[in-house]
Amino acid sequence: MSRVYNFSAGPAVLPEEVLKEAANEMLDYNGTGMSVMEMSHRSKAYEEIIQGAQKDLRELMNIPDHYKVLFLQGGASQQFAMIPMNLMKNKVADYIVTGQWAKKAWQEGSIYGKANKIASSEDKTFSYIPNCEDLPISEEADYVYICENNTIYGTKYKKLPNTKGKILVSDVSSCFLSEPVDVTKYGILFGGVQKNIGPAGVVIVIIREDLIREDCLPGTPTMLKYKIHADNDSLYNTPPAYGIYICGKVFKWLKKMGGLEAMKEHNEKKAKILYDFLDESKLFQGTVVKEDRSLMNVPFITGKEELDGKFVKEAKEKGLENLKGHRSVGGMRASIYNAMPIQGVEKLVEFMKDFEEKNA
């Protein structure tokens, strides 16, 4: 069977080149006579894999020396607890809630201290990003938390909030490596890799060194202390070894593609094709205010549930997979991450035009 165009929000499409390379190395990685899946994480061969991945990520993102890169487990969701456990010294943090994942992080933060919801876009089903120029930042807040790209709702911060000098913590799961980022604007940025970088099971945390401290909240498990992982170069216990290996291959692929500037151009081009069609369409409409649209996740609806279902079914028959929207928004959602080729988006728009003619 030929490959489909996979618009899944995550686990999501990976570069075909990377998958082929991994397939070729499945039984024998680099002359070791074994697969990376079977390899000791303490071996010389694996040490080179994880160190190479870190080096390439640092180059891609221009990560300064006073930030640590950690490859961890538990997905972004585990970070919802790990962040307050490690950072909530004053037992106060401010959260901007722009979608389901930010809301879950805020709820989790509330377990460990006072989590203030200082702005939210829930009043309009998270279809916009609130104005974050002058927020009521708490005097004693240990950090300000955001989810930068909202996978379910298709919104993206185009400008980071004014945190008034407080540490910014950002979940970048669904926009990770889609465009250049100034790492120095953040205390921590983190993301599950299964949307834009690799297979599920790895979360990457980029953390400023002064935030890696001994004094976590009482009762913090050893495995949830940043210091433990930083001191052990992400090898305190067996890491998600194979997932990290694939991430490393994706980093190399991104460098080969021209880095994050080139990726941003490529992503803008893809998103424009889809958004331009949505803006002209009589049948389909986007659900996000124009200025806050994500380059990665594009939700849209026909306004009729029955028609949405028909669209998803017929799209699947055409090899356009995983277009059903999240249950909280309904309709459809096309996730067009880095590895989605431009032809995939063109094919989708072609099908949408055809569907509109037949169903308008």
Side-chain angles (χ1 to χ4, degrees), residues 95-98 118-121 128-137 144-147 156-164 168 292:
Y95 285 75
I96 301 169
V97 177
T98 51
I118 56 167
S120 169
S121 52
Y128 70 101
I129 297 287
N131 183 331
C132 299
E133 284 291 329
D134 186 19
L135 295 167
I137 308 275
V144 176
Y145 182 103
I146 63 170
C147 179
K156 164 84 165 70
Y157 284 80
K158 299 294 160 76
K159 192 178 177 206
L160 293 175
N162 172 8
T163 64
K164 302 181 181 174
L168 178 64
D292 298 329

Side-chain angles (χ1 to χ4, degrees), residues 212 222-234 236:
I212 302 170
T222 303
M223 274 294 288
L224 297 188
K225 293 177 177 174
Y226 289 126
K227 186 155 175 41
I228 286 288
H229 297 288
D231 288 351
N232 290 280
D233 296 321
S234 304
Y236 172 71

Side-chain angles (χ1 to χ4, degrees), residues 13-32:
V13 60
L14 284 166
E16 208 165 302
E17 196 179 305
V18 165
L19 295 175
K20 283 177 177 162
E21 221 176 271
N24 286 336
E25 293 172 352
M26 183 52 87
L27 295 177
D28 176 12
Y29 173 73
N30 213 7
T32 58

Side-chain angles (χ1 to χ4, degrees), residues 161-202:
N162 172 8
T163 64
K164 302 181 181 174
K166 297 291 179 187
I167 294 158
L168 178 64
V169 174
S170 179
D171 176 353
V172 296
S173 295
S174 51
C175 58
F176 221 158
L177 300 182
S178 61
E179 58 185 353
V181 163
D182 180 357
V183 175
T184 63
K185 290 185 174 166
Y186 305 82
I188 297 181
L189 65 162
F190 71 93
V193 304
Q194 71 279 8
K195 297 172 185 296
N196 216 12
I197 302 173
V202 185

Side-chain angles (χ1 to χ4, degrees), residues 5-9 320-323 333-336 340 344 348:
Y5 288 114
N6 176 13
F7 293 95
S8 169
L320 305 165
E321 284 275 358
N322 296 311
L323 281 162
R333 170 180 51 176
S335 292
I336 50 176
M340 172 59 68
L348 172 60

